[in-house]
Amino acid sequence: MKKTLLSGVAPTGNLTIGNYIGALKNWKEMQRQYDCLFMVVDMHAITIHQDPSSLRSRCLSFVSQYLALGIEPKESTIFIQSHVSAHAELAWILNCFTYMGELNRMTQFKNKTKKYSSNINAGLYVYPVLMAADILLYQTDIVPIGDDQRQHLELTRDIAVRFNNLYGKVFQIPEPYISKVGARIMSLLDPKSKMDKSDHNFNNYIALLDEPSVVLKKIRQAITDSGTEIKVDKSKLGISNLLTVYSCLSGMPIPKLEEQFKGKNYTAFKKELAELIIEILRPIQNKYKKLMDNKDYISTILKQGAKKAGERADRILKKVQERIGFI
Ligand code: AMP
Ligand code: TRP
């Protein structure tokens, strides 16, 4: 029996090469090894106000990008979170097994209350509990996540252990999977912060759907540091980040790249990096365009995904409801 793997991305902003390197590229490879479920988490997205028509089109666009990247609907379950109502139902139950003290400690909540100070809603507060429900509904073994989600996964494990101790073993205790290299691709203009798909400044990231001329321009503008050496160095965050991107996309180890670019200048390096990115994105974008012209196909995939996920989730939800005494 294959182990179960589940992950999700919120349909906000634009998927970036950070998402690709840190998450989506690995998903594709993990499909063979694991029984995979991949979601677009629209319920998480609405913890921040979303315009309904952009939310709708982003959900479709993200699913098409998953497919274009090689996530196979025959192998994996691809679905929209809100299509499986068990997520909301289990989240409510788990809310009753989560302490406010635990939620108060969540770094992401603290950061988001600063960033969205005019809309500190209860959904934002219980966001990690919904994430726990997403994971625990499928007896998930492995959860690929970014570094910033580590704390949410710890909470998920704590809730699962707590519930199991009270009611007997119901939930599988999930493990995080955080890829080491490229776990944190940094912003192009501010290499001290993470490349963020919801960044208001588009020049901080390369979107998977960026045209070649845009990729070229953004890489050309990317911050490099004083000096000329193309080398990873703690004091040279800009060039270190670009080298990491190059290495992750080409599969070449960083020391080899440093050797290869010895004596070359930043401009030459950036040109090669931009060309590499463009070549990687080209087939993805072509496939994406074809998929977006075939909305019926996407809608069929999503219906099948919701059915497959829903049946599995309902089994666990039912078990939970029985254990806690719902009749
Ligand atoms: P987010 O874009 O924050 O919704 O994250 C979705 C997934 O993409 C996470 O699981 C991360 O693993 C990955 N991810 C997002 N941003 C980056 C980044 N800058 N570097 C590496 N991985 C990232
Ligand atoms: N909170 C995650 C993020 O921001 C997205 C997410 C929601 C998720 N539910 C999940 C990731 C379940 C993994 C598993 O990246």
Side-chain angles (χ1 to χ4, degrees), residues 6-8 39 41 44 127 131 134-135 143-145 149:
L6 171 137
S7 201
M39 304 176 286
V41 294
H44 276 107
Y127 176 113
M131 180 163 162
D134 296 340
I135 296 166
V143 187
I145 40 169
Q149 298 296 311

Side-chain angles (χ1 to χ4, degrees), residues 29-45:
E29 282 149 24
M30 286 165 156
Q31 288 183 108
R32 262 167 260 132
Q33 206 182 336
Y34 298 99
D35 167 22
C36 293
L37 297 115
F38 298 117
M39 304 176 286
V40 174
V41 294
D42 54 348
M43 288 159 70
H44 276 107

Side-chain angles (χ1 to χ4, degrees), residues 64-232:
S64 299
Q65 287 177 74
Y66 285 10
L67 296 171
L69 286 163
I71 311 283
E72 274 294 331
K74 282 201 191 78
E75 284 185 62
S76 305
T77 309
I78 304 165
F79 67 105
I80 307 277
Q81 187 185 31
S82 67
H83 290 179
V84 179
S85 61
H87 290 247
E89 293 178 72
L90 182 64
W92 174 256
I93 295 172
L94 298 182
N95 275 330
C96 303
F97 293 89
T98 308
Y99 298 111
M100 288 180 66
E102 289 175 312
L103 294 177
N104 289 338
R105 282 200 294 276
M106 293 294 122
T107 320
Q108 183 174 302
F109 175 69
K110 286 191 244 178
N111 292 342
K112 284 193 177 169
T113 51
K114 279 187 215 131
K115 194 163 167 197
Y116 304 99
S117 54
S118 60
N119 179 23
I120 307 177
N121 60 70
L124 205 54
Y125 189 58
V126 295
Y127 176 113
V129 186
L130 177 59
M131 180 163 162
D134 296 340
I135 296 166
L136 298 178
L137 270 175
Y138 300 95
Q139 303 299 48
T140 305
D141 299 290
I142 314 275
V143 187
I145 40 169
D147 223 7
D148 57 328
Q149 298 296 311
R150 201 188 281 272
Q151 202 185 22
H152 291 167
L153 201 87
E154 275 307 312
L155 179 67
T156 302
R157 290 164 57 92
D158 290 345
I159 297 171
V161 168
R162 184 172 304 148
F163 192 95
N164 285 352
N165 285 339
L166 284 167
Y167 297 102
K169 187 170 187 295
V170 175
F171 296 129
Q172 174 68 26
I173 311 299
E175 300 282 343
Y177 172 90
I178 298 170
S179 71
K180 280 175 211 77
V181 190
R184 227 174 132 76
I185 299 297
M186 310 311 277
S187 153
L188 296 178
L189 296 179
D190 172 19
K192 280 198 209 61
S193 32
K194 193 182 99 159
M195 182 181 284
D196 177 4
K197 73 188 199 304
S198 302
D199 200 313
H200 291 302
N201 186 350
F202 296 159
N203 291 320
N204 274 327
Y205 61 76
I206 306 280
L208 295 186
L209 301 178
D210 275 346
E211 302 268 341
S213 61
V214 176
V215 174
L216 210 56
K217 182 167 146 266
K218 286 181 177 176
I219 292 293
R220 207 182 290 136
Q221 287 173 353
I223 295 283
T224 35
D225 318 80
S226 57
T228 51
E229 262 192 305
I230 297 164
K231 207 167 165 334
V232 165

Side-chain angles (χ1 to χ4, degrees), residues 44-57:
H44 276 107
I46 62 162
T47 54
I48 291 156
H49 282 317
Q50 301 294 335
D51 166 61
S53 81
S54 339
L55 182 61
R56 251 189 298 273
S57 58

